[in-house]
Amino acid sequence: MNNEMNAPQPEPTGRSLFGGWQNAKEWLRQNLKGDIVIWIIVALLSFTSMLIVYSATGTLAYQRGGGYPESFLFKHAFFTGIGLLVMWAVHRINYTYFSRLSRAALLISIPLLILVKVAGVTINGATRWLAIPGTGLTFQPADFARLALIANLAAMLAKRQRVQYDWQIFGKMILWVGIICFFIALTSTSTAVLLGFSCFLMLYIGRVPGKYLAVMVVSIGIAGATGLVVGQRLDTAQGRIERFLKRDEYQAKQGFIAIANGGTLGQGLGKSHQRNYLTQAYSDFIYAIIIEEYGIIGGIIIMILYAILLVRGVQNINETNRAFGGLLSAGLMLSIGLQAFTNMAVAVGIFPVTGQPLPLLSMGGTSVLFTCISLGIVLSVSRGDIEETNL
């Protein structure tokens, strides 16, 4: 009897659950550092992408021989999972290392961009990808070049925050931006335009005098236009602009119908009709499918999430203790934000069709990976400042 009375009693269920929550909270605190708002938004967008990609790829699976939509979902989930894992790993690296690596990465990106022009893989009529030997995978060197250019530009701007600008110093900045935009414009007009605009905003935030900014606009315009003319996308760009002005773009029309079908509250998950007609329902026009299934309310929520993400990244410019960290965070988040709002603007008919995916939501491979790397760097910037504050 005494032995029974002295035996350890089971812990109450409520206390056990509370202890489990505390342990989980402590684990998250130890492993997910940096801006918690960015973590939450990335998690929400990643979860939403699973739902919408599964819905949007039903017709694609049928067109490719009656396959199962789950196969595309599993592929997207795999790349998203890898991307989030890489983001977590990158956010634990001190962001100052990227300043040292940026010039080497920039030098590597140039031959890769040239190689795309010579031996690139063509997908949906665009030659923007390089095959990764032995894997069956492809990646866009433009994503790598964009990341390298923004990091290098942030490093150059940070070194000159207390130094008076002259044409020699500014010439080095404009040369790198012009070279990268030229090579990207050979195969992707919209990517070159968005990157050039992101760099312009970085220079503006970096307090570059107005006369230099004016020269940059002219120089980048010439470099991008030259790349467009000698590249492979001139006819495509002209055709898209003409069809946009005439409101005669097939994909855009189907997107408008999807938005009209969605109304205020949407048709419901998996009930999109226009996914059967939008050939890029899972990528370029995924925002139209989101509105069709979740309504205008769902579309506005997605837009707000991207806006908050953009603000949290850019505000590091005021909160960081180092100019490089703030400029790097702002540049990367501006690039992601501009891409997101361009995709949404195309879906609602504000811009011509560009071929830009919606970051973290569109089905993709290495594009998801490079987006997550960028977000990991932004989190590294915020993590560094938080840890310094707590010391």
Side-chain angles (χ1 to χ4, degrees):
M1 178 68 70
N2 291 333
N3 291 336
E4 292 181 0
M5 293 180 64
N6 294 329
Q9 299 298 315
E11 189 175 8
T13 303
R15 183 179 175 184
S16 177
L17 291 175
F18 179 75
W21 164 246
Q22 287 294 98
N23 291 335
K25 185 178 179 180
E26 179 62 21
W27 185 90
L28 291 173
R29 190 183 70 82
Q30 292 293 332
N31 291 276
L32 303 184
K33 297 181 180 295
D35 192 332
I36 188 62
V37 175
I38 294 179
W39 279 111
I40 293 173
I41 292 177
V42 169
L44 290 173
L45 291 176
S46 299
F47 175 74
T48 303
S49 74
M50 299 299 164
L51 300 178
I52 202 67
V53 165
Y54 178 67
S55 175
T57 51
T59 300
L60 178 64
Y62 176 79
Q63 291 173 345
R64 296 189 178 179
Y68 296 99
E70 290 84 358
S71 62
F72 294 99
L73 174 63
F74 293 152
K75 181 180 179 180
H76 178 64
F78 171 78
F79 280 112
T80 300
I82 294 296
L84 294 176
L85 182 61
V86 169
M87 183 178 76
W88 174 81
V90 170
H91 105 284
R92 298 182 68 86
I93 300 173
N94 189 315
Y95 66 86
T96 58
Y97 286 114
F98 298 106
S99 175
R100 308 169 195 175
L101 298 174
S102 61
R103 181 59 61 87
L106 206 53
L107 292 172
I108 294 172
S109 68
I110 294 176
L112 291 176
L113 291 171
I114 296 174
L115 191 58
V116 170
K117 177 65 175 165
V118 176
V121 176
T122 301
I123 301 176
N124 297 324
T127 308
R128 302 172 183 169
W129 292 263
L130 284 179
I132 302 176
T135 65
L137 302 175
T138 60
F139 80 102
Q140 290 193 52
D143 291 328
F144 177 74
R146 174 170 51 189
L147 181 60
L149 178 60
I150 290 174
N152 190 61
L153 188 59
M156 288 191 290
L157 285 169
K159 292 177 181 178
R160 288 150 179 95
Q161 288 301 291
R162 293 181 176 84
V163 178
Q164 185 176 1
Y165 278 91
D166 58 41
W167 290 109
Q168 183 178 2
I169 293 174
F170 182 73
K172 295 178 182 179
M173 297 182 188
I174 203 66
L175 180 63
W176 279 114
V177 178
I179 290 173
I180 298 301
C181 286
F182 167 79
F183 283 114
I184 292 178
L186 294 174
T187 57
S188 179
T189 309
S190 58
T191 302
V193 171
L194 291 176
L195 179 57
F197 189 40
S198 298
C199 292
F200 171 82
L201 292 175
M202 286 184 66
L203 292 176
Y204 178 79
I205 293 172
R207 296 180 291 188
V208 173
K211 62 180 180 180
Y212 295 108
L213 293 177
V215 172
M216 180 205 173
V217 171
V218 175
S219 301
I220 299 306
I222 293 174
T226 304
L228 177 62
V229 170
V230 302
Q232 57 181 243
R233 303 298 290 174
L234 179 60
D235 292 338
T236 301
Q238 289 177 335
R240 285 178 171 175
I241 292 174
E242 291 174 359
R243 290 190 294 272
F244 171 74
L245 295 175
K246 296 177 180 178
R247 296 294 176 179
D248 193 31
E249 180 72 60
Y250 172 79
Q251 288 277 70
K253 288 181 179 179
Q254 301 306 317
F256 296 157
I257 295 173
I259 292 172
N261 289 341
T264 304
L265 299 178
Q267 300 291 315
L269 176 62
K271 296 182 180 180
S272 168
H273 178 70
Q274 291 308 113
R275 65 183 177 183
N276 301 318
Y277 301 97
L278 278 164
T279 57
Q280 298 297 318
Y282 53 88
S283 179
D284 301 354
F285 280 85
I286 198 167
Y287 190 63
I289 303 301
I290 290 173
I291 295 179
E292 185 177 20
E293 294 193 351
Y294 298 95
I296 297 296
I297 300 298
I300 291 175
I301 292 174
I302 294 297
M303 188 182 301
I304 290 174
L305 290 178
Y306 279 113
I308 296 173
L309 200 61
L310 177 60
V311 170
R312 300 295 292 194
V314 173
Q315 74 179 9
N316 278 333
I317 199 82
N318 295 320
E319 297 180 0
T320 185
N321 295 321
R322 296 184 177 94
F324 171 69
L327 290 165
L328 179 62
S329 176
L332 292 174
M333 202 57 83
L334 281 168
S335 178
I336 294 173
L338 287 173
Q339 182 180 344
F341 288 112
T342 297
N343 177 282
M344 292 185 281
V346 168
V348 299
I350 298 176
F351 291 162
V353 174
T354 62
Q356 292 292 325
L358 192 55
L360 295 176
L361 283 175
S362 293
M363 186 176 76
T366 52
S367 62
V368 175
L369 177 63
F370 281 106
T371 299
C372 288
I373 291 174
S374 298
L375 289 168
I377 294 173
V378 173
L379 285 167
S380 176
V381 174
S382 64
R383 177 181 72 87
D385 291 318
I386 290 173
E387 290 183 347
E388 288 178 8
T389 302
N390 292 334
L391 289 178

